[in-house]
Amino acid sequence: PIIGVYGRLPANLSFGLVYRGESAAEFDLPLTADLGEGFPLPIPTLVVHGTAQYDPRQVEFETSWMGQTLSLSMGVTWNQWSRFPKPIEYAARPKDLPVLPPPKWTDTYEASMGLEDRWVGDELSGSARFGYRYVQSPTPETQSEHALLDNGRQVFGLGHTLVWSSLRWTLAG
């Protein structure tokens, strides 16, 4: 489920709170081999199991202030990566080899902020926007059995809109 609440407060303040449930798509891939009549021994079916897509449970809170020409927003997001299963499980491991333990993903937090400046002129109006988000990695710093590579990310966004008569030009990146 995705559930959200939005509210307006005095002094041009607003807030939003969103809950997003976990979403996962797992796969079971049966692999069979038929080597024909020249190979008389039966080959068992090998099944590879894993998770092809995973979005963690999230709770996101954001607050914003909107002035006449300037808007500012700030938010924080919690991601429950600790429930992420192993991405892939191999069924063909020797019986004397222990099962690979889960990677011990960690829950993460993200911080975000956005700023928009708007102006209105006689012939030309527009706005300029800037956004930033820090995305923490759920991959454990110390690993003994796994070799998972990931890092935190810093995401920047820029955009602008120009309006002249009935023509609107928007560019974002």
Side-chain angles (χ1 to χ4, degrees):
I2 299 174
I3 302 167
V5 175
Y6 170 78
R8 286 197 168 272
L9 302 170
N12 294 331
L13 292 173
S14 61
F15 71 91
L17 180 67
V18 177
Y19 168 84
R20 294 179 192 94
E22 177 183 86
S23 172
E26 296 181 345
F27 64 88
D28 285 311
L29 181 62
L31 302 173
T32 58
D34 182 3
L35 300 178
E37 294 177 18
F39 193 79
L41 298 175
I43 298 174
T45 300
L46 173 68
V47 177
V48 179
H49 175 78
T51 304
Q53 172 274 326
Y54 183 81
D55 291 318
R57 178 179 297 150
Q58 294 180 327
V59 176
E60 185 165 6
F61 175 77
E62 184 170 304
T63 185
S64 65
W65 170 82
M66 183 180 284
Q68 279 192 306
T69 62
L70 192 67
S71 296
L72 175 66
S73 66
M74 298 172 69
V76 64
T77 305
W78 169 76
N79 300 289
Q80 191 181 22
W81 283 105
S82 59
R83 291 178 43 100
F84 183 25
K86 287 188 274 189
I88 193 164
E89 294 180 27
Y90 297 102
R93 68 176 176 77
K95 295 210 184 287
D96 60 342
L97 186 67
V99 175
L100 191 62
K104 298 180 184 163
W105 308 103
T106 57
D107 293 348
T108 63
Y109 292 91
E110 299 177 20
S112 61
M113 62 87 58
L115 182 66
E116 180 182 45
D117 184 28
R118 298 172 302 280
W119 69 91
V120 176
D122 293 336
E123 296 281 327
L124 188 65
S125 301
S127 63
R129 294 173 293 284
F130 169 78
Y132 171 80
R133 179 176 287 257
Y134 176 73
V135 181
Q136 185 181 12
S137 170
T139 304
E141 290 284 329
T142 306
Q143 301 176 44
S144 56
E145 297 93 359
H146 299 277
L148 303 167
L149 302 175
D150 194 18
N151 61 302
R153 293 170 290 288
Q154 298 190 51
V155 182
F156 296 90
L158 292 173
H160 79 90
T161 298
L162 295 174
V163 179
W164 177 64
S165 185
S166 62
L167 180 65
R168 174 181 291 266
W169 165 268
T170 299
L171 184 64

